Amino acid sequence: MKLTRRDFLIKGTALLATLGLGGPMIFAENGSPLRPQEAENGGSDSSVLVVIQLSGGNDGLNTVIPYGLGGYFDARPTLKLTQSEVLAIDNQVGLHPSLTRLHALYQRGKLAIVQGVGYPKPDRSHFRSMEIWQTAEPEKMGRTGWLGRYAAASLSRDGNPLKALQIGSAAGGLAFQAETVNVPLIQSLETYSFLDPKMPKTEQNRLAKAFLDMYDPKRQGTVIRVTCERGRDAYDSVEAVHQLGGGYQAKVEYPKTAIARDLQLVVKMLAGKSGTRVFYLQLGGFDDHVQEKEQHARLLKQLDEALGAFYEDLEAQGLENRVATMAFSEFGRRVKENGNGGTDHGTAAPVFVLGGKIKGGLYGVMPSLTDLDNGDLKYQVDFRSVYYTVIDQWLKGDAAGALGKTYERLGFV
């Protein structure tokens, strides 16, 4: 029976959902996909970056709280957190009381807090600001992402289809966009399949062969070659996931939240020797225009508990020194609270970087709460310096190639 693409839309599941990815795949000489552990740049000792996007504009002033600086309490009569509530770092700043595990990691020297991160002429639109953070190009409308350019420049010889991964129901947006890079989106190891596992093996084999024939770039014209390459790449990523070793044994209890589940999946992939160098996750809900105090505390607690379990699990698996985790948001909030118990779109905010080999501490300078830019904080550290540091110092990649030029190296690696 001759099969059509419509047949695969009916019978295929996760594979067809990944066909939006672009770029050619590097195959082994026999034409089969490379196993993850065969990847040139993804060995068992390679450094790994986990990026967590805090979508919506996290309120940096109620995350890293300047309780010792003038202006905080006056600007936030109902949203303020008192000195007795704050988890003190020094006599000027401290963490939100929901961040108990992150505070403990800070005290252990495993958490770096980069203060006042932003960029010139900040944009307060969610869409545009996130686009700027994902492309690392504030001056123009970028078409490729900073991690996509990193992968293209530094992982181009890595034939591992899992060298970079998006985890969860939604992830990196433009961050991984590049002409020669494909980044699968995986929600769970169990559901990331080409065909229904209950289907008879002979039928699975027949459909798989037909799919590979149909999406063979050598047999198609240039008009649909990119689609064929995407189809083959997606197929290879599914095969690579199924070839992962069973190295993960649960040793830590994770919270029952989506971000915790996604972080546990990262550990499962690494324990299974996926060879992945970059993971991208997302936690949303930070657009706190109304009744911020309770909602923000709840989200920060989700993040804190998930990261606490994640780091504990990395330690249990012997992976804590290989992984650095960076958490950022597209912008902070305005200094003054609004009339609805919330805050509106602002500018600079802190970035967290944590890991076994991260040099913990405060980096940058907390922006002034009185010397403002139209009511907003003036940024102190360009976000591209954070990116430059993690690519150059942690991933040992071509940071200038990914970002277009050199930026200040920060000292947290």
Side-chain angles (χ1 to χ4, degrees):
M1 179 179 70
K2 184 177 180 180
L3 294 170
T4 67
R5 286 182 175 82
R6 183 175 182 276
D7 294 320
F8 288 104
L9 289 172
I10 295 172
K11 296 188 177 184
T13 54
L15 175 64
L16 273 296
T18 65
L19 290 181
L21 306 173
M25 170 58 64
I26 301 173
F27 292 92
E29 290 184 1
N30 63 2
S32 62
L34 293 172
R35 292 173 180 267
Q37 54 266 39
E38 295 172 351
E40 181 175 339
N41 297 321
S44 60
D45 296 326
S46 298
S47 55
V48 175
L49 176 66
V50 178
V51 179
I52 303 177
Q53 175 181 304
L54 306 178
S55 299
N58 177 43
D59 184 359
L61 286 178
N62 267 18
T63 302
V64 180
I65 302 164
Y67 72 94
L69 298 182
Y72 172 72
F73 295 101
D74 292 337
R76 298 185 167 209
T78 65
L79 292 182
K80 66 178 181 291
L81 288 141
T82 65
Q83 182 174 349
S84 62
E85 294 176 292
V86 171
L87 303 174
I89 288 175
D90 58 25
N91 61 3
Q92 290 193 320
V93 300
L95 293 178
H96 189 283
S98 291
L99 300 177
T100 55
R101 293 195 175 195
L102 287 180
H103 187 251
L105 287 171
Y106 183 90
Q107 291 180 316
R108 291 175 58 190
K110 307 301 182 183
L111 172 65
I113 301 172
V114 188
Q115 305 174 98
V117 182
Y119 53 90
K121 299 179 182 179
D123 195 292
R124 293 163 181 80
S125 158
H126 287 297
F127 179 81
R128 176 60 185 146
S129 189
M130 187 59 77
E131 184 179 72
I132 287 170
W133 276 81
Q134 291 176 350
T135 64
E137 294 183 316
E139 299 85 8
K140 64 179 182 179
M141 302 296 289
R143 301 182 65 179
T144 60
W146 71 285
L147 288 172
R149 296 192 299 271
Y150 154 73
S154 302
L155 303 179
S156 60
R157 298 179 62 189
D158 188 339
N160 181 3
L162 306 179
K163 59 179 172 283
L165 291 174
Q166 303 175 86
I167 303 294
S169 58
L174 283 172
F176 282 116
Q177 283 294 312
E179 293 182 0
T180 59
V181 177
N182 293 335
V183 181
L185 175 64
I186 297 179
Q187 297 183 22
S188 75
L189 298 180
E190 294 74 26
T191 60
Y192 195 69
S193 299
F194 173 40
L195 298 166
D196 185 348
K198 297 178 182 179
M199 183 182 296
K201 192 65 177 178
T202 54
E203 180 72 357
Q204 290 188 41
N205 291 338
R206 185 178 71 85
L207 286 171
K209 182 180 184 303
F211 179 91
L212 292 175
D213 288 342
M214 183 181 298
Y215 284 88
D216 184 354
K218 297 178 182 178
R219 297 179 58 185
Q220 306 292 347
T222 57
V223 175
I224 62 171
R225 181 165 296 170
V226 171
T227 299
C228 293
E229 289 170 344
R230 291 172 178 175
R232 291 295 296 262
D233 291 355
Y235 180 88
D236 290 339
S237 71
V238 172
E239 289 294 289
V241 165
H242 290 174
Q243 293 167 8
L244 292 178
Y248 181 76
Q249 294 183 353
K251 299 178 181 180
V252 173
E253 184 176 355
Y254 280 79
K256 307 299 183 185
T257 59
I259 186 62
R261 181 186 65 241
D262 293 345
L263 284 167
Q264 186 177 29
L265 179 55
V266 170
V267 184
K268 289 179 180 179
M269 299 290 291
L270 293 175
K273 302 189 182 303
S274 66
T276 308
R277 300 299 307 281
V278 181
F279 295 89
Y280 204 105
L281 296 73
Q282 183 176 164
L283 174 62
F286 285 91
D287 197 15
D288 299 320
H289 290 280
V290 179
Q291 297 178 345
E292 175 183 320
K293 200 161 191 176
E294 296 76 15
Q295 177 179 331
H296 192 232
R298 176 179 56 81
L299 283 172
L300 290 182
K301 184 178 181 180
Q302 281 189 31
L303 178 67
D304 182 75
E305 290 180 344
L307 283 173
F310 177 61
Y311 191 85
E312 185 180 348
D313 202 4
L314 290 173
E315 286 186 309
Q317 308 292 333
L319 296 168
E320 75 277 11
N321 289 332
R322 286 189 56 206
V323 180
T325 303
M326 180 183 79
F328 78 97
S329 195
E330 70 265 37
F331 48 62
R333 316 297 290 191
R334 291 182 70 80
V335 174
K336 289 187 176 181
E337 65 179 66
N338 60 30
N340 298 312
T343 51
D344 298 324
H345 299 177
T347 52
V351 171
F352 290 160
V353 186
L354 64 102
K357 288 191 174 180
I358 295 301
K359 297 177 183 177
L362 291 175
Y363 295 85
V365 178
M366 173 61 72
S368 170
L369 302 186
T370 54
D371 179 18
L372 302 176
D373 177 12
N374 191 29
D376 286 321
L377 300 175
K378 295 180 179 179
Y379 85 98
Q380 303 296 311
V381 177
D382 193 304
F383 75 101
R384 289 164 291 186
S385 291
V386 181
Y387 289 179
Y388 193 91
T389 302
V390 296
I391 294 176
D392 182 72
Q393 299 293 292
W394 181 250
L395 294 173
K396 305 298 182 183
D398 181 2
L403 299 175
K405 65 178 185 179
T406 61
Y407 289 89
E408 177 189 5
R409 292 186 184 94
L410 304 176
F412 57 76
V413 176

mmCIF file of all heavy atoms in Angstrom, residues 115-139:
data_model
loop_
_atom_site.group_PDB
_atom_site.id
_atom_site.type_symbol
_atom_site.label_atom_id
_atom_site.label_comp_id
_atom_site.label_asym_id
_atom_site.label_seq_id
_atom_site.Cartn_x
_atom_site.Cartn_y
_atom_site.Cartn_z
ATOM 1 N N GLN A 115 23.142 41.164 39.574
ATOM 2 C CA GLN A 115 22.160 42.200 39.862
ATOM 3 C C GLN A 115 22.036 43.200 38.710
ATOM 4 O O GLN A 115 22.992 43.460 37.993
ATOM 5 C CB GLN A 115 22.566 42.958 41.128
ATOM 6 C CG GLN A 115 22.781 42.076 42.350
ATOM 7 C CD GLN A 115 23.328 42.847 43.532
ATOM 8 O OE1 GLN A 115 22.590 43.248 44.425
ATOM 9 N NE2 GLN A 115 24.637 43.083 43.544
ATOM 10 N N GLY A 116 20.841 43.731 38.566
ATOM 11 C CA GLY A 116 20.631 44.833 37.641
ATOM 12 C C GLY A 116 20.902 44.506 36.188
ATOM 13 O O GLY A 116 21.478 45.316 35.453
ATOM 14 N N VAL A 117 20.477 43.341 35.720
ATOM 15 C CA VAL A 117 20.771 42.911 34.350
ATOM 16 C C VAL A 117 19.734 43.492 33.388
ATOM 17 O O VAL A 117 18.523 43.432 33.646
ATOM 18 C CB VAL A 117 20.798 41.379 34.258
ATOM 19 C CG1 VAL A 117 21.157 40.940 32.838
ATOM 20 C CG2 VAL A 117 21.794 40.798 35.259
ATOM 21 N N GLY A 118 20.198 44.018 32.286
ATOM 22 C CA GLY A 118 19.300 44.587 31.282
ATOM 23 C C GLY A 118 20.054 44.940 30.024
ATOM 24 O O GLY A 118 21.061 44.310 29.686
ATOM 25 N N TYR A 119 19.605 45.981 29.319
ATOM 26 C CA TYR A 119 20.239 46.384 28.062
ATOM 27 C C TYR A 119 19.832 47.827 27.763
ATOM 28 O O TYR A 119 18.845 48.331 28.318
ATOM 29 C CB TYR A 119 19.818 45.451 26.918
ATOM 30 C CG TYR A 119 18.332 45.300 26.751
ATOM 31 C CD1 TYR A 119 17.605 46.155 25.926
ATOM 32 C CD2 TYR A 119 17.641 44.307 27.439
ATOM 33 C CE1 TYR A 119 16.228 46.026 25.781
ATOM 34 C CE2 TYR A 119 16.272 44.170 27.301
ATOM 35 C CZ TYR A 119 15.574 45.032 26.476
ATOM 36 O OH TYR A 119 14.212 44.910 26.347
ATOM 37 N N PRO A 120 20.561 48.507 26.890
ATOM 38 C CA PRO A 120 20.237 49.909 26.582
ATOM 39 C C PRO A 120 18.867 50.045 25.924
ATOM 40 O O PRO A 120 18.404 49.142 25.219
ATOM 41 C CB PRO A 120 21.355 50.323 25.610
ATOM 42 C CG PRO A 120 22.438 49.321 25.813
ATOM 43 C CD PRO A 120 21.773 48.046 26.203
ATOM 44 N N LYS A 121 18.226 51.171 26.156
ATOM 45 C CA LYS A 121 16.931 51.496 25.569
ATOM 46 C C LYS A 121 15.945 50.331 25.732
ATOM 47 O O LYS A 121 15.471 49.749 24.753
ATOM 48 C CB LYS A 121 17.077 51.861 24.089
ATOM 49 C CG LYS A 121 17.959 53.078 23.858
ATOM 50 C CD LYS A 121 18.098 53.393 22.363
ATOM 51 C CE LYS A 121 19.012 54.588 22.140
ATOM 52 N NZ LYS A 121 19.175 54.877 20.689
ATOM 53 N N PRO A 122 15.623 49.960 26.957
ATOM 54 C CA PRO A 122 14.806 48.767 27.202
ATOM 55 C C PRO A 122 13.415 48.876 26.619
ATOM 56 O O PRO A 122 12.820 49.953 26.542
ATOM 57 C CB PRO A 122 14.755 48.686 28.732
ATOM 58 C CG PRO A 122 15.015 50.077 29.194
ATOM 59 C CD PRO A 122 15.966 50.670 28.211
ATOM 60 N N ASP A 123 12.905 47.732 26.195
ATOM 61 C CA ASP A 123 11.552 47.629 25.657
ATOM 62 C C ASP A 123 10.677 46.953 26.700
ATOM 63 O O ASP A 123 11.060 45.947 27.290
ATOM 64 C CB ASP A 123 11.565 46.814 24.361
ATOM 65 C CG ASP A 123 10.285 46.961 23.570
ATOM 66 O OD1 ASP A 123 9.239 46.477 24.048
ATOM 67 O OD2 ASP A 123 10.316 47.558 22.474
ATOM 68 N N ARG A 124 9.478 47.507 26.934
ATOM 69 C CA ARG A 124 8.599 46.977 27.982
ATOM 70 C C ARG A 124 7.482 46.094 27.441
ATOM 71 O O ARG A 124 6.562 45.737 28.180
ATOM 72 C CB ARG A 124 8.038 48.148 28.807
ATOM 73 C CG ARG A 124 9.117 48.868 29.610
ATOM 74 C CD ARG A 124 8.674 50.228 30.089
ATOM 75 N NE ARG A 124 9.716 50.928 30.849
ATOM 76 C CZ ARG A 124 10.739 51.580 30.300
ATOM 77 N NH1 ARG A 124 10.857 51.620 28.967
ATOM 78 N NH2 ARG A 124 11.637 52.192 31.051
ATOM 79 N N SER A 125 7.562 45.746 26.178
ATOM 80 C CA SER A 125 6.626 44.791 25.590
ATOM 81 C C SER A 125 7.112 43.375 25.889
ATOM 82 O O SER A 125 8.288 43.062 25.685
ATOM 83 C CB SER A 125 6.536 44.994 24.084
ATOM 84 O OG SER A 125 6.067 43.832 23.427
ATOM 85 N N HIS A 126 6.201 42.511 26.349
ATOM 86 C CA HIS A 126 6.592 41.115 26.592
ATOM 87 C C HIS A 126 7.199 40.503 25.342
ATOM 88 O O HIS A 126 8.271 39.887 25.388
ATOM 89 C CB HIS A 126 5.368 40.277 26.995
ATOM 90 C CG HIS A 126 4.862 40.544 28.374
ATOM 91 N ND1 HIS A 126 5.599 40.297 29.503
ATOM 92 C CD2 HIS A 126 3.681 41.039 28.794
ATOM 93 C CE1 HIS A 126 4.893 40.621 30.573
ATOM 94 N NE2 HIS A 126 3.729 41.089 30.167
ATOM 95 N N PHE A 127 6.497 40.639 24.223
ATOM 96 C CA PHE A 127 6.917 39.967 22.996
ATOM 97 C C PHE A 127 8.279 40.461 22.540
ATOM 98 O O PHE A 127 9.192 39.683 22.287
ATOM 99 C CB PHE A 127 5.875 40.184 21.894
ATOM 100 C CG PHE A 127 6.236 39.542 20.589
ATOM 101 C CD1 PHE A 127 6.007 38.194 20.377
ATOM 102 C CD2 PHE A 127 6.820 40.288 19.573
ATOM 103 C CE1 PHE A 127 6.349 37.595 19.173
ATOM 104 C CE2 PHE A 127 7.161 39.698 18.367
ATOM 105 C CZ PHE A 127 6.925 38.355 18.169
ATOM 106 N N ARG A 128 8.415 41.778 22.447
ATOM 107 C CA ARG A 128 9.677 42.327 21.935
ATOM 108 C C ARG A 128 10.821 42.099 22.918
ATOM 109 O O ARG A 128 11.941 41.752 22.513
ATOM 110 C CB ARG A 128 9.506 43.820 21.629
ATOM 111 C CG ARG A 128 10.798 44.505 21.174
ATOM 112 C CD ARG A 128 11.359 43.892 19.911
ATOM 113 N NE ARG A 128 12.651 44.475 19.565
ATOM 114 C CZ ARG A 128 13.638 43.812 18.987
ATOM 115 N NH1 ARG A 128 13.496 42.531 18.685
ATOM 116 N NH2 ARG A 128 14.775 44.415 18.704
ATOM 117 N N SER A 129 10.573 42.284 24.196
ATOM 118 C CA SER A 129 11.649 42.109 25.164
ATOM 119 C C SER A 129 12.126 40.661 25.207
ATOM 120 O O SER A 129 13.328 40.394 25.260
ATOM 121 C CB SER A 129 11.202 42.568 26.548
ATOM 122 O OG SER A 129 12.302 42.600 27.441
ATOM 123 N N MET A 130 11.198 39.702 25.175
ATOM 124 C CA MET A 130 11.620 38.304 25.151
ATOM 125 C C MET A 130 12.369 37.990 23.865
ATOM 126 O O MET A 130 13.351 37.233 23.858
ATOM 127 C CB MET A 130 10.415 37.382 25.313
ATOM 128 C CG MET A 130 10.789 35.912 25.468
ATOM 129 S SD MET A 130 11.869 35.593 26.896
ATOM 130 C CE MET A 130 10.679 35.689 28.225
ATOM 131 N N GLU A 131 11.925 38.573 22.775
ATOM 132 C CA GLU A 131 12.629 38.403 21.507
ATOM 133 C C GLU A 131 14.067 38.911 21.616
ATOM 134 O O GLU A 131 15.003 38.280 21.114
ATOM 135 C CB GLU A 131 11.875 39.159 20.406
ATOM 136 C CG GLU A 131 12.430 38.993 19.007
ATOM 137 C CD GLU A 131 11.590 39.753 18.004
ATOM 138 O OE1 GLU A 131 11.655 40.995 17.993
ATOM 139 O OE2 GLU A 131 10.841 39.101 17.236
ATOM 140 N N ILE A 132 14.235 40.052 22.292
ATOM 141 C CA ILE A 132 15.577 40.603 22.479
ATOM 142 C C ILE A 132 16.445 39.653 23.305
ATOM 143 O O ILE A 132 17.596 39.378 22.954
ATOM 144 C CB ILE A 132 15.486 41.994 23.147
ATOM 145 C CG1 ILE A 132 14.970 43.024 22.133
ATOM 146 C CG2 ILE A 132 16.837 42.427 23.717
ATOM 147 C CD1 ILE A 132 14.607 44.366 22.745
ATOM 148 N N TRP A 133 15.913 39.139 24.393
ATOM 149 C CA TRP A 133 16.679 38.200 25.219
ATOM 150 C C TRP A 133 16.993 36.915 24.457
ATOM 151 O O TRP A 133 18.058 36.319 24.637
ATOM 152 C CB TRP A 133 15.912 37.874 26.495
ATOM 153 C CG TRP A 133 16.104 38.887 27.582
ATOM 154 C CD1 TRP A 133 15.468 40.085 27.721
ATOM 155 C CD2 TRP A 133 16.986 38.789 28.697
ATOM 156 N NE1 TRP A 133 15.895 40.737 28.842
ATOM 157 C CE2 TRP A 133 16.826 39.969 29.470
ATOM 158 C CE3 TRP A 133 17.888 37.826 29.134
ATOM 159 C CZ2 TRP A 133 17.548 40.203 30.645
ATOM 160 C CZ3 TRP A 133 18.611 38.053 30.314
ATOM 161 C CH2 TRP A 133 18.433 39.226 31.048
ATOM 162 N N GLN A 134 16.072 36.459 23.616
ATOM 163 C CA GLN A 134 16.286 35.196 22.901
ATOM 164 C C GLN A 134 17.229 35.349 21.717
ATOM 165 O O GLN A 134 17.967 34.418 21.384
ATOM 166 C CB GLN A 134 14.945 34.620 22.462
ATOM 167 C CG GLN A 134 14.098 34.131 23.618
ATOM 168 C CD GLN A 134 12.729 33.648 23.190
ATOM 169 O OE1 GLN A 134 12.305 33.838 22.047
ATOM 170 N NE2 GLN A 134 12.007 33.021 24.114
ATOM 171 N N THR A 135 17.214 36.503 21.070
ATOM 172 C CA THR A 135 18.115 36.712 19.937
ATOM 173 C C THR A 135 19.423 37.376 20.352
ATOM 174 O O THR A 135 20.417 37.303 19.629
ATOM 175 C CB THR A 135 17.455 37.588 18.856
ATOM 176 O OG1 THR A 135 17.195 38.898 19.395
ATOM 177 C CG2 THR A 135 16.159 36.966 18.357
ATOM 178 N N ALA A 136 19.427 38.051 21.516
ATOM 179 C CA ALA A 136 20.588 38.828 21.975
ATOM 180 C C ALA A 136 20.933 39.934 20.992
ATOM 181 O O ALA A 136 22.105 40.280 20.814
ATOM 182 C CB ALA A 136 21.790 37.930 22.234
ATOM 183 N N GLU A 137 19.905 40.523 20.384
ATOM 184 C CA GLU A 137 20.109 41.601 19.422
ATOM 185 C C GLU A 137 19.118 42.733 19.699
ATOM 186 O O GLU A 137 18.111 42.875 19.004
ATOM 187 C CB GLU A 137 19.959 41.079 17.992
ATOM 188 C CG GLU A 137 21.054 40.093 17.610
ATOM 189 C CD GLU A 137 20.963 39.625 16.165
ATOM 190 O OE1 GLU A 137 19.853 39.316 15.703
ATOM 191 O OE2 GLU A 137 22.015 39.563 15.511
ATOM 192 N N PRO A 138 19.410 43.578 20.696
ATOM 193 C CA PRO A 138 18.468 44.647 21.048
ATOM 194 C C PRO A 138 18.317 45.704 19.971
ATOM 195 O O PRO A 138 17.283 46.380 19.907
ATOM 196 C CB PRO A 138 19.092 45.264 22.308
ATOM 197 C CG PRO A 138 20.064 44.256 22.807
ATOM 198 C CD PRO A 138 20.556 43.528 21.612
ATOM 199 N N GLU A 139 19.326 45.865 19.123
ATOM 200 C CA GLU A 139 19.325 46.965 18.173
ATOM 201 C C GLU A 139 18.540 46.673 16.900
ATOM 202 O O GLU A 139 18.298 47.585 16.105
ATOM 203 C CB GLU A 139 20.768 47.340 17.792
ATOM 204 C CG GLU A 139 21.627 47.802 18.960
ATOM 205 C CD GLU A 139 22.256 46.643 19.714
ATOM 206 O OE1 GLU A 139 22.151 45.494 19.229
ATOM 207 O OE2 GLU A 139 22.836 46.886 20.798
#
